[in-house]
Amino acid sequence: STWGFWNKMGGPIRKEKSRPHKAISAGPAVVAEAHRIQKQQPKKEDSSKHTSQIQFAKSLGQHILKNPLIIQGIVDKAAIRSTDVILEVGPGTGNLTQKLLEGGKKVVAVEMDPRMVVELQKRFQETTLYPKLQLINGDFLQTPLPFFDVCVANVPYQISSPLTFKLLAHRPIFRCAVLMFQREFAMRLVAKPGDRLYCRLSVNTQLLARVDHLMKVGKNNFRPPPKVESSVVRIEPRNPPPPVNFSEWDGMVRLCFSRKNKTLGAIFKQKAVLDILEKNMNTVCSLSGQPLPTKAIKDIVAEVLATTNKEEARSSKLDQDDFLSLLAAFNAQGIHFA
């Protein structure tokens, strides 16, 4: 799939074991699994009606947003319509879920922890909102996504990058996503050329979507508080998406940002880089039945950089148009990155 590579894009992440996707009804198997996990955890006093016996698992990124003003602000920024199907990732105990149910037509909530699924059922099953709630117990990264109009989520921080690109790969294209991320990750998403945090993640995300920083959220607005500050961003996919071979694009951008403050001339003179490009060129020529070029690969690369005026350019200063023109120039000379 042309989209498979997106899960590898962006900054470093900590991967977790995947659990199989299970669509949920209020069945005994889920309750039994939740009770089994709960027995393994020491009980903890809590004044919350819906979380009285839950010890939150930091390994699953469980930091429950508790400030009602922040929750309402997120919902307002999502501009939810009464006809919207809303996707929520990691609903936890349902503080944000309730506001989403009140505003939209339906909420599809993907939750990995069966204990939280039980809490959500307890919270909503006796209310008029329950028929609008679809619960899915499983790993979001392994779960086939249904149709949705808007995604709103307090994202488990360790899956921020693959979650972002899984959403951007989803078809049909959704209207927008309003997502809570770790502050530094959020600032990388919105960084511009020349910014300290401008990186491959910035370039790849902004190729596919418009990204705006909405608000900062302090750590004390969560229970338990995380070790880092957070931010809310709005991601609006470009529709239609740009006419670019994304594997080629990411292959080139990955090389350019391997040393983002070096000149492109220095990066593309490295023997390891030239060897990769020559191997790719030979493969393409072989598959297409074209003759191999008579020029040395280093001369072809130097010519491309000279004609595009990029030999002295640095990736940290280049924008989307610069990278697009560079990729087109390389491809025109038979140089490919995937």
Side-chain angles (χ1 to χ4, degrees), residues 218-238:
K219 62 183 73 173
N220 292 329
N221 291 290
F222 300 87
R223 186 176 61 248
K227 294 181 180 180
V228 296
E229 303 294 330
S230 303
S231 281
V232 178
V233 301
R234 176 186 171 96
I235 298 176
E236 186 176 337
R238 301 192 188 280

Side-chain angles (χ1 to χ4, degrees), residues 82-241:
S82 60
T83 56
D84 281 343
V85 176
I86 306 157
L87 176 68
E88 185 182 10
V89 185
T93 57
N95 295 342
L96 179 56
T97 312
Q98 178 155 346
K99 291 295 183 182
L100 299 177
L101 287 168
E102 291 170 357
K105 176 183 178 181
K106 178 182 178 180
V107 173
V108 180
V110 183
E111 174 56 61
M112 192 169 184
D113 189 343
R115 300 173 306 153
M116 295 298 180
V117 172
V118 172
E119 288 300 314
L120 289 164
Q121 290 171 333
K122 287 179 183 177
R123 180 167 185 165
F124 295 112
Q125 64 187 358
E126 301 298 329
T127 73
T128 57
L129 298 175
Y130 194 59
K132 299 165 67 175
L133 177 63
Q134 177 186 348
L135 289 171
I136 297 175
N137 180 206
D139 181 348
F140 173 82
L141 298 180
Q142 304 300 321
T143 300
L145 300 182
F147 169 86
F148 62 93
D149 299 291
V150 177
C151 178
V152 182
N154 174 21
V155 176
Y157 292 162
Q158 64 266 37
I159 65 168
S160 296
S161 183
L163 176 143
T164 300
F165 290 104
K166 177 168 182 173
L167 289 177
L168 290 174
H170 183 70
R171 295 295 181 269
I173 294 175
F174 56 94
R175 190 168 74 247
C176 75
V178 176
L179 306 172
M180 179 91 71
F181 288 124
Q182 179 179 333
R183 175 77 49 78
E184 182 170 326
F185 182 88
M187 300 315 293
R188 288 181 186 275
L189 288 178
V190 302
K192 301 301 180 186
D195 292 350
R196 181 180 64 85
L197 293 177
Y198 187 63
C199 61
R200 177 170 155 242
L201 174 67
S202 319
V203 174
N204 285 335
T205 307
Q206 292 169 33
L207 174 75
L208 298 172
R210 175 182 172 183
V211 190
D212 297 299
H213 184 272
L214 299 180
M215 68 177 86
K216 296 179 179 180
V217 182
K219 62 183 73 173
N220 292 329
N221 291 290
F222 300 87
R223 186 176 61 248
K227 294 181 180 180
V228 296
E229 303 294 330
S230 303
S231 281
V232 178
V233 301
R234 176 186 171 96
I235 298 176
E236 186 176 337
R238 301 192 188 280
N239 193 6

Side-chain angles (χ1 to χ4, degrees), residues 47 216 279 302:
S47 59
K216 296 179 179 180
K279 183 179 178 181

Side-chain angles (χ1 to χ4, degrees), residues 231-279:
S231 281
V232 178
V233 301
R234 176 186 171 96
I235 298 176
E236 186 176 337
R238 301 192 188 280
N239 193 6
V244 176
N245 181 315
F246 296 104
S247 295
E248 286 259 20
W249 168 272
D250 185 50
M252 186 190 73
V253 171
R254 186 195 304 269
L255 284 177
C256 292
F257 277 93
S258 60
R259 295 287 187 273
K260 73 175 187 178
N261 290 315
K262 274 194 171 185
T263 65
L264 294 184
I267 291 172
F268 282 97
K269 282 178 183 175
Q270 297 177 82
K271 184 178 185 303
V273 173
L274 292 172
D275 287 346
I276 291 171
L277 298 183
E278 185 171 31
K279 183 179 178 181

Side-chain angles (χ1 to χ4, degrees), residues 58-102:
K58 291 186 179 181
S59 63
L60 297 179
Q62 289 178 346
H63 299 280
I64 306 301
L65 184 59
K66 65 181 182 178
N67 187 328
L69 295 178
I70 300 293
I71 291 170
Q72 188 60 55
I74 290 172
V75 174
D76 291 343
K77 295 293 185 182
I80 291 169
R81 304 167 187 169
S82 60
T83 56
D84 281 343
V85 176
I86 306 157
L87 176 68
E88 185 182 10
V89 185
T93 57
N95 295 342
L96 179 56
T97 312
Q98 178 155 346
K99 291 295 183 182
L100 299 177
L101 287 168
E102 291 170 357

